[in-house]
Amino acid sequence: NGFYGQLWFGLLPAASAPDQVEMDVVLGWSGEVSPGLELGVAYAAYFLDDSGYDTSELIGSLTYALSDKLSTTLEVAYDIEAEETDTSLGLDYALTSKWALHGLVGRETATPSTYYEVGVTYAVTEEVSLNVLFEDHDTAGNKGALTFTMAYDF
């Protein structure tokens, strides 16, 4: 709980050429507003390596602990430059203190499209985590993507 920052890097699929790497920088605050209910607000900036593309979002979230291992999160993100909204509902399940499962469904107004994610996370330390994620959405011609990421929280 409190102020936080995150630096995230991800390798992009070949279809994203000429870009190969995405870097995200997130600054935010989260805190428990009542037992089991957490409120979060954040500013996120996204950068691609070769095209020079960048954008930023304001993000609000509510997380509710359904049990000591299972939580659900409702998140709304607003892309400042594009004036578009992204809303998602996720579930997280802690298998152990190091391993967790993640599932999510969301809707973005840009395309508009519905997207899905399912993944597993391994916490290397309290600050560093590794993630394998399968992402898909309902736009024509989409085949989904498997991503491997590393995050550093500070």
Side-chain angles (χ1 to χ4, degrees):
N1 288 330
F3 291 98
Y4 66 90
Q6 182 181 56
L7 183 58
W8 180 95
F9 292 93
L11 299 177
L12 299 172
S16 297
D19 297 302
Q20 297 175 0
V21 177
E22 177 182 341
M23 180 181 78
D24 302 350
V25 179
V26 181
L27 299 173
W29 176 88
S30 67
E32 192 170 63
V33 293
S34 69
L37 183 64
E38 187 174 297
L39 172 68
V41 291
Y43 172 81
Y46 309 98
F47 305 93
L48 300 181
D49 65 335
D50 287 332
S51 67
Y53 174 83
D54 63 81
T55 192
S56 57
E57 292 180 326
L58 296 174
I59 304 166
S61 63
L62 282 174
T63 300
Y64 183 70
L66 299 167
S67 72
D68 61 337
K69 292 183 178 268
L70 182 64
S71 65
T72 185
T73 300
L74 173 65
E75 182 176 283
V76 177
Y78 178 73
D79 185 315
I80 299 165
E81 189 174 313
E83 298 181 352
E84 297 168 343
T85 305
D86 183 318
T87 305
S88 63
L89 181 64
L91 281 174
D92 290 290
Y93 183 76
L95 295 168
T96 69
S97 63
K98 297 264 188 195
W99 290 95
L101 298 176
H102 169 76
L104 180 138
V105 62
R107 181 89 176 145
E108 55 187 15
T109 60
T111 348
S113 66
T114 301
Y115 60 92
Y116 317 89
E117 298 177 358
V118 73
V120 62
T121 299
Y122 177 72
V124 178
T125 66
E126 286 189 25
E127 297 85 15
V128 177
S129 62
L130 304 174
N131 189 42
V132 177
L133 183 69
F134 178 77
E135 304 171 85
D136 199 1
H137 56 85
D138 64 0
T139 55
N142 182 52
K143 296 179 183 173
L146 186 64
T147 59
F148 302 92
T149 61
M150 179 178 75
Y152 177 73
D153 296 330
F154 53 94

